[in-house]
């Protein structure tokens, strides 16, 4: 199991509703738009999977194979994008929309009027110590945009990455190709969202709890997929 590992600081087993689940991270090469995500799964994950396993994968890995990672030097921020970043919350966990290039892509994806309205409502919300208003109004396409992360492997350390195209459909297509259920997740060390899942809907809450601490890790681990397995 050369490519299967447990990332530093992560536990092998997590218990959900009394059921223990093993979470194995799977290392791959750096995935780009030249890759087919099914081929990557077949090469690195499928040889280690057993009946009942679920393959979970980073939304960024899927998005990259869909040519949705945009190099920073191809993005030309307008003055409005440079202005808006002055008011963005600077999280210690990532660059988010603090870069003009990321804000420019945000404006392109959601439209200028919608982003200005979301920003205005967010500013009002902050007066009442309410957070999350911006993304609630801007929508899921905006929430899924990832700015470049200094800890990521090249070339993603210099790209703005959109969310995967139709993750629910993608999860089902990958599942049909490899013969195992597939989940596409948007996870970091703070939260998780299941963007697409090929299996039964009642498993989504289990996946959320089982993967909440993001066993794929962040940055240079190069483990964009993993397998979830009921522990024996």
């Amino acid at each position: 199991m050369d490519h299967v590992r447990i990332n530093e600081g992560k536990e092998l087993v997590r218990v959900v509703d009394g059921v223990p689940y093993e979470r194995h991270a799977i290392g791959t090469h750096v995935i780009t738009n030249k890759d087919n995500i099914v081929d990557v799964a077949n090469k690195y994950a499928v040889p280690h999977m057993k009946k009942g396993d679920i393959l979970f994968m980073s939304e960024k890995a899927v998005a990259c194979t869909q040519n949705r990672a945009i190099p920073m030097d191809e993005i030309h921020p307008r003055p409005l994008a440079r202005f808006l970043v002055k008011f963005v919350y600077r999280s210690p966990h990532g660059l988010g929309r603090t870069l003009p290039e990321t804000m420019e892509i945000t404006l392109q994806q959601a439209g200028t009027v919608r982003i200005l309205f979301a920003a205005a409502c967010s500013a009002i919300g902050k007066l009442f110590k309410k957070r999350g208003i911006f993304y609630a109004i801007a929508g899921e396409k905006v929430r899924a945009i990832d700015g470049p992360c200094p800890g990521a492997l090249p070339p993603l350390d210099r790209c703005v990455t959109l969310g995967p195209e139709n993750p629910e459909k993608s999860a089902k297509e990958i599942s049909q190709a490899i013969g195992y259920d597939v989940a596409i997740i948007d996870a970091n060390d703070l939260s998780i969202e299941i963007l697409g899942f090929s299996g039964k809907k009642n498993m989504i809450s289990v996946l959320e709890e089982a993967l909440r601490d993001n066993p794929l890790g962040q940055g240079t681990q190069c483990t964009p997929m993993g397998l979830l397995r009921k522990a024996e």
Side-chain angles (χ1 to χ4, degrees):
M1 298 179 74
D2 295 340
H3 298 286
V4 180
R5 66 195 68 159
I6 303 168
N7 282 322
E8 184 177 357
K10 309 297 180 180
E11 297 177 334
L12 170 62
V13 176
R14 190 175 177 96
V15 178
V16 181
D17 295 332
V19 179
Y21 291 90
E22 295 179 4
R23 302 99 46 81
H24 298 272
I26 298 173
T28 71
H29 63 272
V30 177
I31 297 172
T32 71
N33 61 352
K34 294 180 173 59
D35 289 299
N36 179 300
I37 195 65
V38 171
D39 292 341
V40 176
N42 274 322
K43 179 178 179 179
Y44 293 102
V46 172
H48 308 293
M49 298 185 72
K50 301 178 181 178
K51 183 178 180 180
D53 287 355
I54 296 173
L55 177 65
F56 59 97
M57 57 180 62
S58 159
E59 48 90 23
K60 187 173 289 189
V62 178
C64 285
T65 64
Q66 297 174 338
N67 205 29
R68 293 173 68 79
I70 308 168
M72 292 277 282
D73 57 11
E74 294 181 8
I75 304 170
H76 305 289
R78 69 192 83 172
L80 177 60
R82 298 185 183 279
F83 174 74
L84 288 175
V85 295
K86 297 177 182 179
F87 305 98
V88 174
Y89 168 69
R90 281 162 168 73
S91 168
H93 301 284
L95 295 174
R97 251 144 288 272
T98 62
L99 296 176
E101 290 84 358
T102 311
M103 182 59 74
E104 174 61 31
I105 296 300
T106 299
L107 288 164
Q108 292 178 18
Q109 288 294 299
T112 301
V113 173
R114 186 171 186 173
I115 293 303
L116 288 175
F117 180 63
C121 292
S122 176
I124 295 171
K126 287 177 182 177
L127 297 176
F128 299 94
K129 298 182 179 180
K130 292 185 180 296
R131 296 181 59 184
I133 294 175
F134 177 85
Y135 291 111
I137 296 173
E140 290 302 318
K141 289 176 77 173
V142 168
R143 187 190 298 273
I145 297 172
D146 283 334
C149 176
L153 291 169
L156 295 182
D157 60 336
R158 294 296 299 166
C159 287
V160 175
T161 308
L162 305 178
E165 187 74 35
N166 202 334
E168 188 75 18
K169 180 181 178 182
S170 294
K172 291 177 180 178
E173 289 177 348
I174 299 168
S175 173
Q176 290 173 357
I178 69 172
Y180 295 92
D181 275 330
V182 170
I184 298 173
I185 70 172
D186 181 4
N188 53 47
D189 292 338
L190 298 176
S191 63
I192 182 172
E193 182 179 2
I194 309 300
L195 301 182
F197 181 50
S198 64
K200 296 180 179 179
K201 297 303 180 185
N202 61 0
M203 276 297 295
I204 291 178
S205 61
V206 173
L207 285 165
E208 290 174 341
E209 288 304 315
L211 306 177
R212 188 166 297 282
D213 63 335
N214 189 21
L216 296 181
Q218 298 284 94
T220 58
Q221 286 93 341
C222 205
T223 51
M225 55 183 63
L227 63 91
L228 185 72
R229 173 181 297 160
K230 281 187 180 181
E232 297 179 357

PDB file of all heavy atoms in Angstrom, residues 60-75:
ATOM      1  N   LYS A  60     -10.947  20.162  -5.466  1.00  0.00           N
ATOM      2  CA  LYS A  60      -9.922  20.832  -6.254  1.00  0.00           C
ATOM      3  C   LYS A  60      -9.294  19.868  -7.259  1.00  0.00           C
ATOM      4  O   LYS A  60      -8.996  20.253  -8.399  1.00  0.00           O
ATOM      5  CB  LYS A  60      -8.854  21.423  -5.343  1.00  0.00           C
ATOM      6  CG  LYS A  60      -7.839  22.290  -6.073  1.00  0.00           C
ATOM      7  CD  LYS A  60      -6.897  23.004  -5.114  1.00  0.00           C
ATOM      8  CE  LYS A  60      -7.602  24.097  -4.361  1.00  0.00           C
ATOM      9  NZ  LYS A  60      -6.662  24.940  -3.570  1.00  0.00           N
ATOM     10  N   ALA A  61      -9.105  18.611  -6.861  1.00  0.00           N
ATOM     11  CA  ALA A  61      -8.543  17.619  -7.778  1.00  0.00           C
ATOM     12  C   ALA A  61      -9.463  17.401  -8.969  1.00  0.00           C
ATOM     13  O   ALA A  61      -9.018  17.340 -10.122  1.00  0.00           O
ATOM     14  CB  ALA A  61      -8.300  16.300  -7.046  1.00  0.00           C
ATOM     15  N   VAL A  62     -10.769  17.300  -8.701  1.00  0.00           N
ATOM     16  CA  VAL A  62     -11.739  17.115  -9.779  1.00  0.00           C
ATOM     17  C   VAL A  62     -11.771  18.346 -10.670  1.00  0.00           C
ATOM     18  O   VAL A  62     -11.765  18.254 -11.899  1.00  0.00           O
ATOM     19  CB  VAL A  62     -13.141  16.826  -9.207  1.00  0.00           C
ATOM     20  CG1 VAL A  62     -14.154  16.679 -10.332  1.00  0.00           C
ATOM     21  CG2 VAL A  62     -13.121  15.560  -8.357  1.00  0.00           C
ATOM     22  N   ALA A  63     -11.772  19.528 -10.056  1.00  0.00           N
ATOM     23  CA  ALA A  63     -11.827  20.773 -10.815  1.00  0.00           C
ATOM     24  C   ALA A  63     -10.614  20.929 -11.730  1.00  0.00           C
ATOM     25  O   ALA A  63     -10.738  21.401 -12.866  1.00  0.00           O
ATOM     26  CB  ALA A  63     -11.927  21.960  -9.865  1.00  0.00           C
ATOM     27  N   CYS A  64      -9.449  20.520 -11.249  1.00  0.00           N
ATOM     28  CA  CYS A  64      -8.242  20.639 -12.073  1.00  0.00           C
ATOM     29  C   CYS A  64      -8.344  19.811 -13.337  1.00  0.00           C
ATOM     30  O   CYS A  64      -7.928  20.248 -14.415  1.00  0.00           O
ATOM     31  CB  CYS A  64      -7.013  20.214 -11.272  1.00  0.00           C
ATOM     32  SG  CYS A  64      -6.483  21.432 -10.058  1.00  0.00           S
ATOM     33  N   THR A  65      -8.905  18.609 -13.243  1.00  0.00           N
ATOM     34  CA  THR A  65      -9.039  17.767 -14.427  1.00  0.00           C
ATOM     35  C   THR A  65     -10.095  18.307 -15.385  1.00  0.00           C
ATOM     36  O   THR A  65     -10.149  17.909 -16.548  1.00  0.00           O
ATOM     37  CB  THR A  65      -9.393  16.313 -14.050  1.00  0.00           C
ATOM     38  OG1 THR A  65     -10.683  16.279 -13.424  1.00  0.00           O
ATOM     39  CG2 THR A  65      -8.353  15.728 -13.108  1.00  0.00           C
ATOM     40  N   GLN A  66     -10.929  19.226 -14.898  1.00  0.00           N
ATOM     41  CA  GLN A  66     -11.939  19.871 -15.746  1.00  0.00           C
ATOM     42  C   GLN A  66     -11.445  21.211 -16.288  1.00  0.00           C
ATOM     43  O   GLN A  66     -12.230  21.998 -16.810  1.00  0.00           O
ATOM     44  CB  GLN A  66     -13.233  20.078 -14.937  1.00  0.00           C
ATOM     45  CG  GLN A  66     -13.891  18.792 -14.477  1.00  0.00           C
ATOM     46  CD  GLN A  66     -15.082  19.054 -13.568  1.00  0.00           C
ATOM     47  OE1 GLN A  66     -15.211  20.118 -12.956  1.00  0.00           O
ATOM     48  NE2 GLN A  66     -15.977  18.079 -13.479  1.00  0.00           N
ATOM     49  N   ASN A  67     -10.145  21.446 -16.128  1.00  0.00           N
ATOM     50  CA  ASN A  67      -9.519  22.669 -16.633  1.00  0.00           C
ATOM     51  C   ASN A  67     -10.088  23.925 -15.961  1.00  0.00           C
ATOM     52  O   ASN A  67     -10.293  24.962 -16.604  1.00  0.00           O
ATOM     53  CB  ASN A  67      -9.692  22.778 -18.147  1.00  0.00           C
ATOM     54  CG  ASN A  67      -8.599  23.625 -18.792  1.00  0.00           C
ATOM     55  OD1 ASN A  67      -7.478  23.696 -18.302  1.00  0.00           O
ATOM     56  ND2 ASN A  67      -8.932  24.285 -19.884  1.00  0.00           N
ATOM     57  N   ARG A  68     -10.315  23.836 -14.660  1.00  0.00           N
ATOM     58  CA  ARG A  68     -10.922  24.951 -13.925  1.00  0.00           C
ATOM     59  C   ARG A  68      -9.936  25.614 -12.949  1.00  0.00           C
ATOM     60  O   ARG A  68     -10.345  26.332 -12.040  1.00  0.00           O
ATOM     61  CB  ARG A  68     -12.185  24.471 -13.213  1.00  0.00           C
ATOM     62  CG  ARG A  68     -13.277  24.103 -14.216  1.00  0.00           C
ATOM     63  CD  ARG A  68     -14.485  23.457 -13.585  1.00  0.00           C
ATOM     64  NE  ARG A  68     -15.266  24.329 -12.751  1.00  0.00           N
ATOM     65  CZ  ARG A  68     -16.137  25.235 -13.194  1.00  0.00           C
ATOM     66  NH1 ARG A  68     -16.299  25.418 -14.496  1.00  0.00           N
ATOM     67  NH2 ARG A  68     -16.835  25.978 -12.356  1.00  0.00           N
ATOM     68  N   ALA A  69      -8.649  25.352 -13.126  1.00  0.00           N
ATOM     69  CA  ALA A  69      -7.606  26.049 -12.379  1.00  0.00           C
ATOM     70  C   ALA A  69      -7.012  27.123 -13.296  1.00  0.00           C
ATOM     71  O   ALA A  69      -6.443  26.813 -14.341  1.00  0.00           O
ATOM     72  CB  ALA A  69      -6.530  25.078 -11.911  1.00  0.00           C
ATOM     73  N   ILE A  70      -7.154  28.377 -12.905  1.00  0.00           N
ATOM     74  CA  ILE A  70      -6.757  29.501 -13.762  1.00  0.00           C
ATOM     75  C   ILE A  70      -5.465  30.118 -13.234  1.00  0.00           C
ATOM     76  O   ILE A  70      -5.426  30.600 -12.094  1.00  0.00           O
ATOM     77  CB  ILE A  70      -7.864  30.568 -13.783  1.00  0.00           C
ATOM     78  CG1 ILE A  70      -9.209  29.935 -14.147  1.00  0.00           C
ATOM     79  CG2 ILE A  70      -7.508  31.691 -14.754  1.00  0.00           C
ATOM     80  CD1 ILE A  70     -10.393  30.849 -13.910  1.00  0.00           C
ATOM     81  N   PRO A  71      -4.385  30.104 -14.030  1.00  0.00           N
ATOM     82  CA  PRO A  71      -3.130  30.708 -13.567  1.00  0.00           C
ATOM     83  C   PRO A  71      -3.296  32.185 -13.243  1.00  0.00           C
ATOM     84  O   PRO A  71      -4.002  32.915 -13.932  1.00  0.00           O
ATOM     85  CB  PRO A  71      -2.183  30.505 -14.766  1.00  0.00           C
ATOM     86  CG  PRO A  71      -2.765  29.344 -15.512  1.00  0.00           C
ATOM     87  CD  PRO A  71      -4.261  29.477 -15.349  1.00  0.00           C
ATOM     88  N   MET A  72      -2.628  32.627 -12.189  1.00  0.00           N
ATOM     89  CA  MET A  72      -2.745  34.008 -11.733  1.00  0.00           C
ATOM     90  C   MET A  72      -2.339  35.002 -12.822  1.00  0.00           C
ATOM     91  O   MET A  72      -2.932  36.067 -12.957  1.00  0.00           O
ATOM     92  CB  MET A  72      -1.871  34.216 -10.496  1.00  0.00           C
ATOM     93  CG  MET A  72      -2.353  33.478  -9.265  1.00  0.00           C
ATOM     94  SD  MET A  72      -3.636  34.389  -8.396  1.00  0.00           S
ATOM     95  CE  MET A  72      -2.632  35.612  -7.562  1.00  0.00           C
ATOM     96  N   ASP A  73      -1.316  34.643 -13.608  1.00  0.00           N
ATOM     97  CA  ASP A  73      -0.831  35.605 -14.599  1.00  0.00           C
ATOM     98  C   ASP A  73      -1.772  35.743 -15.799  1.00  0.00           C
ATOM     99  O   ASP A  73      -1.547  36.587 -16.676  1.00  0.00           O
ATOM    100  CB  ASP A  73       0.588  35.258 -15.054  1.00  0.00           C
ATOM    101  CG  ASP A  73       0.707  33.853 -15.638  1.00  0.00           C
ATOM    102  OD1 ASP A  73      -0.340  33.215 -15.878  1.00  0.00           O
ATOM    103  OD2 ASP A  73       1.841  33.386 -15.847  1.00  0.00           O
ATOM    104  N   GLU A  74      -2.846  34.936 -15.835  1.00  0.00           N
ATOM    105  CA  GLU A  74      -3.839  35.066 -16.893  1.00  0.00           C
ATOM    106  C   GLU A  74      -5.049  35.878 -16.435  1.00  0.00           C
ATOM    107  O   GLU A  74      -5.996  36.081 -17.205  1.00  0.00           O
ATOM    108  CB  GLU A  74      -4.293  33.682 -17.369  1.00  0.00           C
ATOM    109  CG  GLU A  74      -3.189  32.874 -18.049  1.00  0.00           C
ATOM    110  CD  GLU A  74      -3.665  31.523 -18.537  1.00  0.00           C
ATOM    111  OE1 GLU A  74      -4.896  31.267 -18.489  1.00  0.00           O
ATOM    112  OE2 GLU A  74      -2.814  30.711 -18.959  1.00  0.00           O
ATOM    113  N   ILE A  75      -5.035  36.303 -15.179  1.00  0.00           N
ATOM    114  CA  ILE A  75      -6.158  37.058 -14.614  1.00  0.00           C
ATOM    115  C   ILE A  75      -5.755  38.527 -14.501  1.00  0.00           C
ATOM    116  O   ILE A  75      -4.693  38.851 -13.976  1.00  0.00           O
ATOM    117  CB  ILE A  75      -6.540  36.516 -13.225  1.00  0.00           C
ATOM    118  CG1 ILE A  75      -6.855  35.014 -13.295  1.00  0.00           C
ATOM    119  CG2 ILE A  75      -7.746  37.274 -12.661  1.00  0.00           C
ATOM    120  CD1 ILE A  75      -6.998  34.351 -11.940  1.00  0.00           C
TER     121      ILE A  75
END
